[in-house]
Amino acid sequence: MNTLYIIFFLAVLFYSFYNAIVYQKRRNKDSKAAKQAINTLTYHRELTEKECKLLDDLQEQKKYKKTHKRLDNRVYLLNGKFERHGIKTRYNTIWHNLIGGLEVTLDDRGFDYLKEYNTTEVIKTDKLPVVISLNESFSLLNHIITEKQIEKGEVGKVAGSDVELIHNRKQTSHEVQAVRKQWHGTIGAFLMIPALFFMALTALWDVYSIYGAIPEGLLFVVALYFLWRKPKFSKPEAIRTLKGVITYSATVDSSENIQQIKPFMGTTELKFENMYWLPFMGAYTADDTPVEVDVTKDGWLMRFGTYLSLETEEKKYPSQPWYRHVIMTVTATIALITALISVPTLTNNIRPDAAYYSVVFKQLYLYAPAIFMVLNLILITIHAPLAYKSYHYNKQRKMNIHKYYEKVIPIIK
């Protein structure tokens, strides 16, 4: 066993060293390329007073303090291919983005506008040059302005596009339910995990188990309350109605296969959880006709055009809070298996006569593991059928919604 451990440890160590060496070689290569690329920067123009203020406001945000502190008001042109590499650390991956051999700071939203060969505007900072525009399509400053406008709900044309913010409202009760209802009760389901965990430990304490039964029992009751209480949904969010022509950005792999398609309204990415919406969205906007969409401040779709609507889905085919049953079934099953493995002799104590169990109830602390197993069996008996039923209901619900949309929105085949 020790030999296997040593072999495994050495393999991980050598692999880490190998990655570190490869990474350092790349960084040395990047350093040489950067010295050449920095000399190719072409002075283009001066930042306007408005652009300076927007960038200064952005730099005040905590996540930009170390990367966006500009040195002057000059804007430079940088052209070239985009490259990216990084190294994994213990908690995340450190990425390096390069354009034309020069490492730059590129906003995450800019990745949707990259091409094989890129033309960018950058400003110099005390760290890395920051990309403020990319391929005449992405503008960091327009993104900042748009986010502020949508946050405040200011009606009017959106910066850098033909999109308009035409109306503001609050989420309807059906829209709130469509987003939150399926998650109802999951707080209680997750609380049940520590409740059953501590109850299992208490059950294995044998004669001292009685002292831990009360606090674990209270946690169990609290978990049940949150699991089955009447739904309480969060306050309705602010909804913005945007009108304009939808554009799409596709991500492809090395074999030119489409991996992901993102719809945009101007600079705002339209986010949606219901993936069956995408083909209907494409069919609805096939002729580049302006369309109205209702989105949250974060860009999550509530309505797309006349027919795609979370409110309509919830009214016609109400959703069910089924995640809680899945979590409870899995949790109780794991707890039951753990109890069976930890106390295998429990099955020898099962007897057919009622008199035996009347004695057991007078000495509960001696049979806490058995009671714990029975409790998990009860939880599985209740929640497993509900999880199975709810899952199939949700599956049928999606099929019904899809059929409904097929009747009102013709799909291009």
Side-chain angles (χ1 to χ4, degrees):
M1 189 66 181
N2 290 335
T3 303
L4 289 175
Y5 175 79
I6 293 171
I7 293 173
F8 175 76
F9 175 79
L10 290 174
V12 172
L13 186 63
F14 283 124
Y15 181 72
S16 300
F17 275 130
Y18 172 77
N19 283 334
I21 293 170
V22 171
Y23 173 76
Q24 192 57 48
K25 283 185 176 180
R26 285 176 177 171
R27 295 304 291 152
N28 291 337
K29 184 180 178 181
D30 293 345
S31 180
K32 292 178 181 178
K35 289 179 180 178
Q36 297 175 349
I38 199 70
N39 296 324
T40 65
L41 288 178
T42 305
Y43 171 74
H44 180 52
R45 62 181 179 88
E46 293 283 323
L47 290 170
T48 65
E49 187 176 339
K50 183 178 180 181
E51 289 174 329
C52 288
K53 186 178 185 309
L54 288 170
L55 288 169
D56 289 343
D57 290 343
L58 185 68
Q59 196 265 327
E60 287 299 316
Q61 297 180 30
K62 186 177 180 180
K63 62 180 179 179
Y64 297 115
K65 279 186 177 293
K66 295 181 179 180
T67 58
H68 286 61
K69 189 176 181 180
R70 57 193 176 84
L71 298 179
D72 50 42
N73 295 343
R74 296 188 169 204
V75 179
Y76 298 86
L77 290 179
L78 174 64
N79 304 323
K81 292 184 178 181
F82 174 78
E83 295 179 277
R84 194 184 204 206
H85 63 77
I87 185 171
K88 291 184 178 180
T89 63
R90 184 175 181 181
Y91 300 106
N92 58 10
T93 301
I94 298 175
W95 291 106
H96 301 282
N97 303 310
L98 300 94
I99 294 178
L102 180 63
E103 185 173 357
V104 297
T105 298
L106 177 62
D107 190 278
D108 290 342
R109 293 162 293 193
F111 286 98
D112 295 309
Y113 301 88
L114 287 167
K115 297 179 180 179
E116 185 175 351
Y117 188 85
N118 302 278
T119 301
T120 68
E121 285 186 334
V122 300
I123 57 172
K124 290 183 178 180
T125 72
D126 57 352
K127 296 293 183 181
L128 300 173
V130 174
V131 176
I132 62 171
S133 74
L134 176 64
N135 297 324
E136 298 182 353
S137 301
F138 168 77
S139 169
L140 176 61
L141 302 176
N142 283 341
H143 271 285
I144 299 169
I145 296 170
T146 301
E147 285 182 352
K148 288 185 176 181
Q149 181 180 354
I150 292 178
E151 176 68 29
K152 295 177 181 178
E154 296 174 347
V155 175
K157 188 176 179 181
V158 176
S161 68
D162 294 326
V163 176
E164 285 188 273
L165 197 163
I166 62 175
H167 182 61
N168 297 294
R169 66 175 178 85
K170 291 288 186 180
Q171 274 182 321
T172 66
S173 60
H174 285 96
E175 286 174 337
V176 174
Q177 290 182 47
V179 176
R180 306 290 182 187
K181 191 175 181 182
Q182 60 185 354
W183 291 98
H184 168 65
T186 52
I187 292 177
F190 283 117
L191 279 176
M192 194 64 74
I193 296 175
L196 292 179
F197 173 75
F198 288 119
M199 289 175 75
L201 289 180
T202 301
L204 297 176
W205 283 351
D206 196 34
V207 72
Y208 300 105
S209 62
I210 193 67
Y211 300 109
I214 295 177
E216 277 84 41
L218 289 174
L219 181 58
F220 181 79
V221 171
V222 170
L224 284 179
Y225 167 74
F226 282 103
L227 189 69
W228 292 103
R229 69 171 178 170
K230 185 179 179 181
K232 291 184 179 180
F233 300 110
S234 57
K235 292 182 180 179
E237 292 187 44
I239 301 298
R240 311 305 187 203
T241 301
L242 303 175
K243 184 177 182 180
V245 177
I246 303 297
T247 57
Y248 296 89
S249 172
T251 303
V252 297
D253 59 17
S254 56
S255 302
E256 298 299 320
N257 296 317
I258 295 177
Q259 298 295 306
Q260 186 181 31
I261 297 178
K262 295 181 181 179
F264 288 85
M265 176 73 81
T267 60
T268 303
E269 180 187 347
L270 304 180
K271 306 171 187 175
F272 52 97
E273 292 185 358
N274 300 331
M275 296 308 298
Y276 51 79
W277 275 32
L278 189 58
F280 295 109
M281 291 165 63
Y284 199 90
T285 57
D287 55 357
D288 291 337
T289 301
V291 64
E292 290 185 13
V293 299
D294 289 347
V295 296
T296 64
K297 294 178 183 180
D298 297 327
W300 288 99
L301 277 169
M302 296 293 108
R303 178 181 67 89
F304 186 97
T306 306
Y307 302 108
L308 292 167
S309 166
L310 291 183
E311 181 174 22
T312 301
E313 292 180 10
E314 192 64 27
K315 283 181 178 179
K316 294 181 70 68
Y317 310 101
S319 57
Q320 286 188 358
W322 65 287
Y323 289 163
R324 57 180 174 172
H325 301 306
V326 175
I327 297 169
M328 277 302 309
T329 302
V330 173
T331 302
T333 301
I334 293 174
L336 178 63
I337 294 172
T338 303
L340 283 170
I341 294 173
S342 303
V343 193
T345 56
L346 283 174
T347 52
N348 298 329
N349 294 325
I350 298 176
R351 301 182 186 180
D353 54 301
Y356 171 76
Y357 291 102
S358 65
V359 177
V360 170
F361 278 101
K362 295 178 183 178
Q363 299 178 341
L364 288 178
Y365 64 91
L366 297 177
Y367 298 94
I371 297 171
F372 178 69
M373 289 176 61
V374 171
L375 174 63
N376 282 291
L377 280 171
I378 294 173
L379 291 174
I380 294 170
T381 303
I382 293 172
H383 290 279
L386 290 174
Y388 179 80
K389 181 180 178 181
S390 300
Y391 169 76
H392 282 279
Y393 172 84
N394 185 65
K395 190 175 180 180
Q396 185 62 44
R397 176 178 181 268
K398 288 183 178 179
M399 292 175 62
N400 291 336
I401 293 172
H402 199 276
K403 289 178 181 178
Y404 166 74
Y405 286 145
E406 283 182 331
K407 292 179 181 178
V408 296
I409 305 175
I411 296 292
I412 300 175
K413 298 182 178 179

